[in-house]
């Protein structure tokens, strides 16, 4: 036998029993986004490698170690997008969406990072991202956070996530802070873990979210970024916090929250859960006022976030929050008892679907005994079995039997069947 091929490690198939849960999740997100005036944008999954180097930053884990990059047939270096912000900015700029106007955009799709796969961490994963442009005050930061909080409430997980907030200030603030931090850490270099020692030269701010216990211990005595913020950044953060307080949204200020992408300044935030083990960040984002200009556009303030779809769905499943009806995909299953009955059965089914627009009706194709077709009814979960045999073809009728009631089978006209199904689905 020929060798069977397997999916690439860290890249998952989604089977029908899972896609129904994804669709449930997607419906909730779309509703929340539409109700807040956000429009969908779709970008390609491949972009020039240069785009990610210039935006995410050359000395980040993503660009240094995790990108799927290759030269195409023309010799151009392309990369499977590791995130959506860079592509969204590129598209918005390219199509002049940023000229003297504000934008509220969202996107949905697969992202690719060559990380070590584990629960909640994959090499192809899905993000729903939200990006806004042209608004510089903290009001839009607050809107984004409120919107995500409303989504958590809709999904039933608000009590299981924690909002962490920080301000990274301006590039000049971070430069002054970086110098102070490096001076402090140089004095304790022996106590640093290996990764942090490397970062001391390349990207010292990332040492703040080191996983090493001893490094974290050392950081307790380190200078704090908030002491280095300029007045405007400070006021921005105060403004945001006041709006969240007014809205009753709880948060913790985490002075060590720095994020792994270079484009952020001022507000950064993460929604974190304890339900998923190590990969607990379900949604993250922040302000990136410099990125549009950095990618060649006229300066435009911007802020956004992205949520990890697999992680949120894992959470819904772990907490038992997926409604049972999500798995019911069929309202009625039509048994066809005899090859001569197929054409009547198929056209009857089309008439029913036309007359009862929300009806989800499966017709048995491929024959089979009454017993084997009844097994398929049970497997489909349909509460109604419709039956067409020689008799029904002759009399232009259909048999109907409820699966969840102890009632005898009825013989009905097309019109009676429509009425019953309409009542059942109302
Ligand atoms: P990020 O923190 O790299 O930010 O990713 C956002 C979210 O995507 C994470 O919080 C996590 O839920 C999910 N995620 C990331 N990597 C993986 C993975 N390997 N497997 C499963 N889920 C993952 C960004 O990507 C920014 N573009 C967010 C943003 C938008 N900032 C402003 N606008």
């Amino acid at each position: 036998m020929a060798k069977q091929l397997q999916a690439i490690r860290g890249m998952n198939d989604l089977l029908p029993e899972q896609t129904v849960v994804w669709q449930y999740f997607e419906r909730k997100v779309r509703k929340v986004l539409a109700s807040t005036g956000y429009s969908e944008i779709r970008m390609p999954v491949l972009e020039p490698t240069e785009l990610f180097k210039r935006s995410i930053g050359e000395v980040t884990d993503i660009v240094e170690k995790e990108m799927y990059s290759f030269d195409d047939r023309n010799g151009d270096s392309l990369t499977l997008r590791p995130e959506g912000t860079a592509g969204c900015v590129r598209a918005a700029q390219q199509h002049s969406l940023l000229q003297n106007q504000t934008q509220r955009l969202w996107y949905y799709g697969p992202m690719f990072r060559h990380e070590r796969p584990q629960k909640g961490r994959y090499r192809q994963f899905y993000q729903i991202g939200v990006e806004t442009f042209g608004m510089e005050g903290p009001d839009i930061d607050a809107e984004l956070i409120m919107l995500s909080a409303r989504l958590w409430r809709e999904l039933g997980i608000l009590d299981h996530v924690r909002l962490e907030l920080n301000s990274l200030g301006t590039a000049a603030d971070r430069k002054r802070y970086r110098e102070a931090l490096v001076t402090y850490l140089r004095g304790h270099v022996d106590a640093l873990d290996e990764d942090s020692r490397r970062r001391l030269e390349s990207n010292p701010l990332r040492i703040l979210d080191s996983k090493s216990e001893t490094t974290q211990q050392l950081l307790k005595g380190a200078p704090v970024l908030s002491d280095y913020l300029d007045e405007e950044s400070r006021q921005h953060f105060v403004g945001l916090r006041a709006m969240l307080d007014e809205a009753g949204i709880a948060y913790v200020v985490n002075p060590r929250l720095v994020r792994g992408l270079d484009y952020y300044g001022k507000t950064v935030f993460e929604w974190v859960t304890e339900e998923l083990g190590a990969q607990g960040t379900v949604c993250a984002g922040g302000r990136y006022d410099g990125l549009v200009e950095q990618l060649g556009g006229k300066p435009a303030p911007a802020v956004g976030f992205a949520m990890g779809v697999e992680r949120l769905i894992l959470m819904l499943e772990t907490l038992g929050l997926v409604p049972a009806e999500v798995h019911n995909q069929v309202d009625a299953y039509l048994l066809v008892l005899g090859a001569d009955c197929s054409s009547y059965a198929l056209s009857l089914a089309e008439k029913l679907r036309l007359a009862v627009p929300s009806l989800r009706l499966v017709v048995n194709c491929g024959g089979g005994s009454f017993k084997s077709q009844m097994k398929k009814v049970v497997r489909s979960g349909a509460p109604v079995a419709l039956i067409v045999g020689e008799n029904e073809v002759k009399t232009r009728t259909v048999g109907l039997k409820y699966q969840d009631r102890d009632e005898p089978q009825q013989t009905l006209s097309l019109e009676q069947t429509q009425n019953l199904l309409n009542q059942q689905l109302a």
Side-chain angles (χ1 to χ4, degrees), residues 107-362:
Y107 51 83
Y108 179 27
M111 307 292 159
F112 303 85
R113 296 184 194 176
H114 196 276
E115 297 190 82
R116 200 168 46 77
Q118 63 181 84
K119 181 180 164 193
R121 189 163 74 190
Y122 312 102
R123 290 180 172 173
Q124 173 173 328
F125 60 97
Y126 286 76
Q127 281 185 348
I128 296 182
V130 176
E131 314 290 356
T132 69
F133 299 97
M135 293 162 275
E136 64 187 350
D139 48 357
I140 186 68
D141 305 23
E143 174 179 292
L144 286 171
I145 290 174
M146 287 182 204
L147 174 160
S148 48
R150 180 151 42 91
L151 175 62
W152 313 148
R153 195 174 310 119
E154 283 266 330
L155 293 168
I157 59 171
L158 186 58
D159 291 341
H160 301 271
V161 287
R162 174 178 80 243
L163 174 62
E164 299 199 351
L165 271 189
N166 194 18
S167 175
L168 299 181
T170 63
D173 300 341
R174 285 193 299 285
K175 184 162 179 286
R176 282 189 302 126
Y177 174 66
R178 197 178 300 123
E179 282 161 12
L181 182 68
V182 168
T183 306
Y184 170 81
L185 291 174
R186 283 236 169 86
H188 303 81
V189 85
D190 292 343
L192 281 178
D193 63 283
E194 204 185 306
D195 231 17
S196 297
R197 233 175 280 165
R198 201 174 49 82
R199 283 181 167 151
L200 197 52
E201 306 305 325
S202 58
N203 198 349
L205 256 57
R206 289 287 293 171
I207 297 175
L208 294 181
D209 63 11
S210 160
K211 298 269 185 298
S212 152
E213 279 283 331
T214 50
T215 299
Q216 279 304 331
Q217 208 54 37
L218 187 62
L219 285 169
K220 288 199 174 134
V224 189
L225 177 56
S226 56
D227 293 337
Y228 290 76
L229 298 187
D230 70 352
E231 189 50 27
E232 200 206 322
S233 298
R234 215 185 292 266
Q235 284 310 323
H236 190 100
F237 201 43
V238 168
L240 170 61
R241 292 177 60 174
M243 288 176 211
L244 296 180
D245 291 340
E246 166 89 31
I249 293 181
Y251 55 83
V252 281
V253 174
N254 174 359
R256 306 261 159 83
L257 182 65
V258 286
R259 311 271 303 123
L261 306 92
D262 279 357
Y263 48 63
Y264 293 111
K266 292 188 180 158
T267 313
V268 287
F269 62 92
E270 291 190 351
W271 289 95
V272 185
T273 181
E274 305 297 328
E275 306 289 340
L276 297 179
Q279 304 305 319
T281 306
V282 292
C283 174
R287 191 162 265 286
Y288 50 96
D289 292 341
L291 184 58
V292 174
E293 187 180 18
Q294 207 174 306
L295 292 177
K298 257 189 32 206
V303 53
F305 68 76
M307 55 188 119
V309 177
E310 285 85 355
R311 292 185 189 178
L312 285 159
I313 286 174
L314 258 171
M315 247 188 114
L316 293 180
E317 284 169 342
T318 310
L319 295 166
L321 292 171
V322 181
E325 63 265 23
V326 160
H327 293 281
N328 301 340
Q329 291 289 299
V330 181
D331 302 310
Y333 191 103
L334 175 55
L335 290 82
V336 186
L337 304 174
D340 296 346
C341 305
S342 284
S343 43
Y344 173 70
L346 285 167
S347 65
L348 174 83
E350 287 300 320
K351 284 180 193 140
L352 287 173
R353 292 182 187 115
L354 214 63
V356 187
S358 70
L359 177 66
R360 298 167 304 173
L361 168 63
V362 175

